[in-house]
Amino acid sequence: MTPYTIAVLASGRGTNLQALLDAIAAGALPARIVGVFSDKPASGAIALAREAGIATVALRPRDFADRDAHDEALFSAVAAVQPDLIVCAGYLRIISAASVRRFEGRMINIHPSLLPKYPGLDTHARALAAGDAEHGASVHVVVPELDAGPLLSQVRIPVLPGDDAAGLAARLLPREHALLAATCRLLATRRLDITGGRVRFDGHDLAAPLLLDAHDQLQEA
Ligand code: GRF
């Protein structure tokens, strides 16, 4: 059987990309990363991909007439590697509706909040400002509306006394890595299916996001 192929979009450090590479190397994710794509040529994610010998495409938005032209070029490069799955891991640009539709049912995003709470930026500071007892991260299907697609999985962490945004982010990040790797594993093994915009788990509609447990396993709520 041909290996499950993943394309990764990233704008930043690339620690989620590294987590996927580590899961593949450990035999925990039966997949192959066939390309890393970015709007930031100097990003850590692009450097990591090059070190790992993975094909990269980095296109600066300012080299294009407008957002649609940039998206068209970047996502045509994504299409060229024919990925089974596209993972947005810290890709900080809003993707045009046309490009989202082009890969409908094949694109997911990891977001550092318990969606539908706190779509957008500064999620850690907003959770603290609201006095939340719990925080977390979510993996969802990408739809044209920002951070709003069907939820696949979540991980929850407690907010501790004295937490600041940086501390909360740092404590959440390793849980994000485990969440993303576990979710991609379920997609690669076809236990989780997102084709046609519907989320199915082991053949039935998923009523609520899967939850990551302390052993890094995803369980139905
Ligand atoms: C992660 O916190 C992710 O949830 C968010 O952007 C960050 C990317 O981190 N969307 P990295 O570049 O993978 O380290």
Side-chain angles (χ1 to χ4, degrees):
M1 195 162 123
T2 50
Y4 189 78
T5 57
I6 298 176
V8 175
L9 274 90
S11 304
R13 305 159 296 199
T15 67
N16 278 285
L17 165 63
Q18 188 62 56
L20 293 181
L21 291 171
D22 294 347
I24 291 170
L29 174 53
R32 194 160 63 85
I33 296 182
V34 288
V36 174
F37 303 82
S38 183
D39 59 322
K40 297 256 184 327
S43 64
I46 289 291
L48 266 175
R50 289 195 176 132
E51 272 160 41
I54 297 168
T56 64
V57 176
L59 304 175
R60 297 180 311 181
R62 66 168 187 254
D63 297 333
F64 294 81
D66 56 29
R67 176 180 297 282
D68 288 351
H70 175 261
D71 262 18
E72 172 53 36
L74 192 68
F75 284 96
S76 293
V78 172
V81 298
Q82 300 179 317
D84 293 300
L85 180 70
I86 300 162
V87 175
C88 299
Y91 185 65
L92 299 180
R93 285 187 63 81
I94 294 173
I95 302 171
S96 65
S99 295
V100 172
R101 275 193 290 275
R102 188 174 178 179
F103 299 99
E104 189 166 22
R106 274 203 283 160
M107 189 150 42
I108 64 172
N109 178 49
I110 183 158
H111 181 76
S113 81
L114 293 172
L115 291 169
K117 277 185 158 183
Y118 318 126
L121 300 174
D122 305 324
T123 59
H124 315 296
R126 290 155 71 192
L128 287 168
D132 290 354
E134 269 196 324
H135 186 42
S138 308
V139 177
H140 64 94
V141 177
V142 174
V143 296
E145 190 191 344
L146 183 68
D147 301 331
L151 290 172
L152 302 181
S153 58
Q154 289 185 323
V155 62
R156 294 169 176 270
I157 63 169
V159 175
L160 302 176
D163 263 343
D164 62 10
L168 196 52
R171 205 169 67 248
L172 178 60
L173 195 58
R175 303 309 293 139
E176 287 191 51
H177 298 159
L179 179 70
L180 186 60
T183 308
C184 288
R185 176 184 168 78
L186 290 182
L187 288 161
T189 55
R190 318 287 178 175
R191 291 189 63 199
L192 196 52
D193 180 70
I194 57 174
T195 46
R198 240 173 108 184
V199 180
R200 295 172 65 76
F201 179 57
D202 286 344
H204 62 270
D205 286 337
L206 192 62
L210 300 167
L211 292 180
L212 195 75
D213 68 17
H215 309 291
D216 295 350
Q217 301 300 312
L218 284 168
Q219 311 286 352
E220 276 195 276

